[in-house]
Amino acid sequence: MISKVTCLRLLYAVPFLLLSSCYSEIDLDSEKDSEGRDLLVLNIIANPDSVVRAYATDTYFFSDVHSGHKFILDLNMSLVVNGTSKGEMTFDERKKAYCSDFIPNEGDTLSVSTTYMGQDVSASDIVPRKVAIEALDAERQGPTQYYWSNDYIFTYHITFTDPANERNYYFLKYDGWGDGIYGFMEERNYEYEFVFQQLARQVQTSRPGWKPYSPLGLPFSDDGIDGKTHTLNVKEIVQGGTITYFQYWTCMHRKFWLYSISESYYNYLVSLLVNDTYEESISGGMIDIGLIEPGKVFSNIQGNGVGIMGSYVMDVTEADILDIVGHFPSK
Amino acid sequence: MLPEGLVNKTFSSGTLNDGSNNHKNEWLHNPSVWAECEGELTSRLGVSLGVRATGVLTHYGSDFYLEPRAALRFSVTDNLSLKAAYAAMTQTEQQVSNNFISLPTDLWQPSIRLFTPLRSHNLSIGLSGNLPYHSFFSVEAWWKRMNNLLEYREGVSLLNPSLDWDEKLTSGRGWAYGIDISLTKNIGRWTGSFGYGLMWNWRKFSDLNKGSKFPAKFDNRHKINIALSYEPSERVEFNAAWVFMTGNRLTLSMYNYATSGSFFPDAPSVDLGDYIGGNEQLTGAGYISGRNNVRLPAYHRLDLGVSLFKPLKNGRMTIWNFGLYNAYCHMNSMTIQKDNYNDAGLGEGWSRKFKSFSLLPIIPSVSFIYKF
């Protein structure tokens, strides 16, 4: 005779069994002829520190075995700068890229065009003008309780002036440099900075709960700071742990890059953030269960192609943070 | 880059939504009056004319719509008739489905604030009649045009609390057309029906798919319904129904491509794939060729049921019904996901899979009805 407990267990189990979901592999090879197969992928990021390079690869069907990039050779790719032809870009076997001899300048309008599968592919972008870092300052808070009882919070202040009456786009990156632990960047925090809060609100359109974080840096626009001298406030959380030797630190090297980036490049980077499904996050899960509408990654490649032609100019400054805030206090 | 549909809208000049929702207490009243007349113009030609006047009252204002309709019926013979009809309709609430999964998580959006009611114009022409051996058939061709349709904007999260529901939507137009065929037949205690539909369903929104037309989510090309019932006695009835239809459509990137970070390591990048280990290990960006670009596998299922009738005194009756939903347990695909798990051997590159997500296998049911 079935006991009451067993009966209850069965009653609980039945709905779960009946409503259980099922994943199974599905063969979509019939979709291989869909639009996307014969597209040229162009990746061109120009800057005044190097010649113009263009990487031409193909798209690949998601479920095919992919062993790396397949570079497209034998393209006739031409570069035009400010309406003047700079000739053909030649394929550099070592770099696997089509290269020009031309090094762009700030404000140049670059256009690249080629033909792929009998159809035109082209892209253009305007190299932005450099915006300089005017000042760098730092503060230290701690020892304090963040993760441990003896953590330190560093706040970095990076000041620059946004050119007025024009749309400008930027990218901030900060990292450690130098040898050993003194050059090791710990946890970054962008959440208290206005421009990254604006970025978060954009990204949260698709990804609720997204917080402005990336070890690689983040883009931002001049929304709300147009024409103003603005100080970016970003943080670094240095964890103390159970045993710390902060008092023996003699230096703490940090480097700050302020990139001025083109509008297309900004759109591209933000769309990558919006479409980042690698991240194990609530929003990634929501993409899986259909609570986020699929979105496209921005592309400014015209014709039979996809990818990005972007450009940037950077200013960089570096400092030994301990020179600014002083050495860690002794225990 | 903001989702395509939002670029030129809410956030166009950097004006960001402050997250407050001032539209919680919306209301909509929908009074209507209706008049209809039917008559016979000749012994073979009948006509039905009607009009419905409907008002839409909200605290943003009021609108008034007329919905004329007309139907003609021509009896070709005593057993064969030809029908033609036109109807205009106004719908103040409409169902909005997301484009990635076929689940009953649809939104019913009232036409307030940013949107006007859905207006549709329906034309149909058909032939129907009796066939020998207790059979009935109908064939109908139809065409439908819809204005002020709603769809989710590209890339928005359905759960984003900082956007109102109507800000997640955009309006456009659509059109659908097709042919429906049905055949019903009785043989003794057996009743059978067969239905077939062939249809096309399109959308065109200025804010979506770069303004180009795209297939609707429910662009199900073929639909087949077969139903069979058998009554061995007045107290027992067996039912079987089989449904088949071409799968719904969804938006999915089939091809991927390399992002810039793998080629320009010194340039600004946010692609963690490049940071973690290069694009060889991760997938790069997905290329979406268009909205609703992929069709799910065909949907089909068999439902079985038996009803037991027990007449009681004073005309009352009890009915027990036992059923099996999806009797052969076909796991119909709700959506397709991309699985980044590497299934290739070491040194052979990276292989990924498409995964079909299914729900609702075989489901038994039992119901009891007491008629009094």
Side-chain angles (χ1 to χ4, degrees):
Chain A
M1 186 173 175
I2 302 175
S3 70
K4 196 179 278 182
V5 174
T6 309
C7 278
L8 282 173
R9 282 178 180 164
L10 283 172
L11 277 174
Y12 289 137
V14 165
F16 286 106
L17 283 172
L18 296 180
L19 296 175
S20 63
S21 58
C22 172
Y23 283 99
S24 56
E25 186 179 334
I26 184 168
D27 182 1
L28 291 180
D29 281 2
S30 59
E31 300 284 343
K32 278 190 174 178
D33 289 335
S34 64
E35 190 183 342
R37 186 184 61 177
D38 297 327
L39 287 177
L40 178 67
V41 180
L42 276 184
N43 278 290
I44 308 166
I45 306 296
N47 74 90
D49 296 326
S50 69
V51 298
V52 177
R53 282 178 292 151
Y55 290 90
T57 53
D58 66 346
T59 57
Y60 58 92
F61 197 67
F62 179 76
S63 58
D64 282 351
V65 173
H66 183 57
S67 303
H69 304 307
K70 181 187 166 193
F71 293 93
I72 307 297
L73 313 177
D74 304 325
L75 292 174
N76 294 317
M77 195 175 296
S78 58
L79 174 68
V80 173
V81 179
N82 302 325
T84 305
S85 173
K86 297 295 177 183
E88 293 284 311
M89 299 171 74
T90 54
F91 188 76
D92 183 319
E93 185 61 40
R94 190 176 58 84
K95 293 178 180 170
K96 303 290 184 191
Y98 291 87
C99 297
S100 165
D101 296 333
F102 179 77
I103 296 176
N105 298 303
E106 296 173 28
D108 280 348
T109 300
L110 310 178
S111 300
V112 167
S113 61
T114 187
T115 302
Y116 183 64
M117 300 277 186
Q119 297 182 61
D120 292 337
V121 183
S122 63
S124 66
D125 199 36
I126 301 173
V127 182
R129 298 194 181 277
K130 182 174 175 177
V131 173
I133 296 173
E134 295 168 3
L136 170 67
D137 200 359
E139 290 175 66
R140 180 179 59 213
Q141 181 188 347
T144 186
Q145 173 79 37
Y146 197 89
Y147 296 110
W148 309 84
S149 61
N150 51 350
D151 297 336
Y152 287 90
I153 301 171
F154 287 83
T155 304
Y156 304 124
H157 309 288
I158 306 109
T159 303
F160 69 101
T161 301
D162 176 72
N165 302 319
E166 59 184 61
R167 297 287 287 152
N168 296 293
Y169 303 90
Y170 303 94
F171 188 93
L172 177 73
K173 174 179 156 185
Y174 59 112
D175 208 346
W177 65 277
D179 296 331
I181 195 167
Y182 312 125
F184 179 73
M185 185 77 191
E186 298 222 18
E187 180 183 334
R188 299 163 181 83
N189 189 312
Y190 300 81
E191 291 177 27
Y192 299 94
E193 170 50 46
F194 170 79
V195 296
F196 296 118
Q197 291 170 358
Q198 305 310 303
L199 172 72
R201 295 172 81 166
Q202 281 191 330
V203 176
Q204 285 168 4
T205 303
S206 287
R207 302 179 62 189
W210 183 84
K211 290 187 175 177
Y213 172 75
S214 169
L216 306 172
L218 286 172
F220 62 95
S221 73
D222 64 357
D223 283 341
I225 61 167
D226 181 39
K228 295 177 183 172
T229 296
H230 182 73
T231 299
L232 300 167
N233 298 300
V234 291
K235 295 179 186 291
E236 178 184 2
I237 317 299
V238 179
Q239 294 186 40
T242 52
I243 302 171
T244 59
Y245 302 95
F246 289 140
Q247 65 270 29
Y248 303 117
W249 283 28
T250 56
C251 57
M252 187 174 164
H253 293 129
R254 296 295 180 263
K255 208 168 189 175
F256 300 84
W257 291 262
L258 180 64
Y259 298 86
S260 300
I261 61 176
S262 62
E263 182 176 4
S264 294
Y265 199 14
Y266 172 82
N267 288 336
Y268 175 71
L269 293 172
V270 174
S271 72
L272 286 177
L273 288 173
V274 166
N275 285 283
D276 179 12
T277 56
Y278 306 135
E279 193 177 323
E280 295 290 337
S281 63
I282 293 174
S283 53
M286 288 197 293
I287 291 173
D288 279 352
I289 62 173
L291 292 175
I292 296 176
E293 286 292 297
K296 292 173 187 161
V297 172
F298 177 85
S299 168
N300 61 349
I301 308 299
Q302 305 297 315
N304 190 37
V306 69
I308 182 64
M309 180 168 184
S311 53
Y312 69 89
V313 184
M314 71 171 181
D315 191 28
V316 62
T317 188
E318 60 190 47
D320 178 353
I321 300 302
L322 297 191
D323 281 349
I324 302 172
V325 301
H327 286 259
F328 286 94
S330 302
K331 274 190 175 176
Chain B
M1 174 74 177
L2 287 168
E4 185 178 16
L6 283 173
V7 171
N8 299 312
K9 295 289 181 183
T10 316
F11 300 105
S12 58
S13 58
T15 307
L16 295 164
N17 189 307
D18 63 3
S20 63
N21 188 335
N22 299 317
H23 314 289
K24 294 288 186 191
N25 300 314
E26 304 285 6
W27 54 265
L28 183 151
H29 296 298
N30 191 197
S32 62
V33 292
W34 158 254
E36 184 185 38
C37 66
E38 286 188 8
E40 301 290 332
L41 298 179
T42 69
S43 61
R44 289 184 176 277
L45 184 63
V47 64
S48 170
L49 297 172
V51 65
R52 181 172 178 260
T54 186
V56 180
L57 311 175
T58 70
H59 64 255
Y60 300 103
S62 58
D63 279 311
F64 173 77
Y65 300 93
L66 279 178
E67 302 172 18
R69 57 198 63 186
L72 285 171
R73 187 187 70 256
F74 179 70
S75 298
V76 182
T77 69
D78 289 345
N79 288 319
L80 193 65
S81 62
L82 193 62
K83 293 183 290 187
Y86 164 79
M89 296 178 73
T90 304
Q91 196 174 316
T92 52
E93 291 90 28
Q94 60 174 299
Q95 189 176 15
V96 188
S97 305
N98 76 66
N99 283 279
F100 186 66
I101 193 165
S102 297
L103 273 178
T105 52
D106 298 339
L107 165 75
W108 282 91
Q109 173 69 33
S111 302
I112 49 178
R113 204 162 75 101
L114 299 178
F115 303 114
T116 50
L118 167 64
R119 290 277 288 172
S120 65
H121 301 273
N122 307 271
L123 275 174
S124 64
I125 183 166
L127 188 68
S128 62
N130 296 315
L131 294 173
Y133 306 109
H134 307 290
S135 301
F136 174 82
F137 85 96
S138 77
V139 179
E140 183 177 89
W142 54 273
W143 178 89
K144 183 176 184 178
R145 163 139 192 160
M146 297 155 280
N147 291 324
N148 308 323
L149 275 168
L150 297 180
E151 290 258 350
Y152 282 111
R153 295 177 184 277
E154 184 185 303
V156 298
S157 166
L158 281 59
L159 299 183
N160 185 347
S162 64
L163 287 178
D164 287 342
W165 276 108
D166 46 8
E167 290 176 308
K168 298 174 183 177
L169 303 169
T170 183
S171 67
R173 61 189 174 92
W175 61 100
Y177 48 92
I179 296 174
D180 291 331
I181 299 170
S182 72
L183 183 66
T184 307
K185 186 174 176 61
N186 292 313
I187 305 175
R189 296 180 181 275
W190 291 87
T191 302
S193 68
F194 169 83
Y196 170 73
L198 174 66
M199 64 167 279
W200 288 261
N201 196 347
W202 294 98
R203 298 285 182 269
K204 194 169 194 301
F205 286 57
S206 57
D207 286 341
L208 300 176
N209 207 44
K210 297 178 181 172
S212 301
K213 75 170 184 177
F214 58 92
K217 176 180 180 179
F218 301 109
D219 177 42
N220 309 109
R221 188 73 66 246
H222 305 282
K223 285 186 179 179
I224 298 172
N225 289 285
I226 299 175
L228 200 62
S229 69
Y230 174 61
E231 287 184 66
S233 73
E234 288 184 352
R235 294 192 168 204
V236 182
E237 183 180 10
F238 295 96
N239 295 291
W242 186 69
V243 179
F244 171 93
M245 65 178 177
T246 312
N248 292 342
R249 286 184 167 273
L250 81 162
T251 306
L252 185 69
S253 61
M254 307 303 298
Y255 281 85
N256 280 43
Y257 62 94
T259 49
S260 63
S262 55
F263 304 113
F264 298 92
D266 296 329
S269 174
V270 294
D271 191 343
L272 289 177
D274 306 322
Y275 179 73
I276 293 167
N279 254 25
E280 290 79 16
Q281 294 185 29
L282 291 170
T283 55
Y287 175 75
I288 295 175
S289 58
R291 196 172 174 93
N292 293 335
N293 58 325
V294 174
R295 194 183 284 288
L296 285 169
Y299 177 99
H300 56 92
R301 70 166 205 270
L302 174 69
D303 299 337
L304 299 174
V306 57
S307 299
L308 306 175
F309 304 91
K310 185 176 181 183
L312 303 174
K313 293 176 182 175
N314 304 324
R316 297 174 183 179
M317 177 184 281
T318 62
I319 306 170
W320 280 96
N321 187 283
F322 301 92
L324 276 181
Y325 174 92
N326 194 10
Y328 55 77
C329 198
H330 180 255
M331 298 303 286
N332 288 297
S333 184
M334 298 286 179
T335 189
I336 297 172
Q337 297 172 4
K338 297 167 83 170
D339 184 3
N340 283 309
Y341 177 71
N342 176 32
D343 201 25
L346 287 174
E348 295 176 6
W350 282 74
S351 174
R352 303 163 184 94
K353 307 293 181 198
F354 289 105
K355 289 189 309 184
S356 165
F357 174 71
S358 305
L359 205 60
L360 302 179
I362 182 170
I363 297 180
S365 67
V366 58
S367 66
F368 175 76
I369 299 169
Y370 179 72
K371 281 190 175 178
F372 57 95

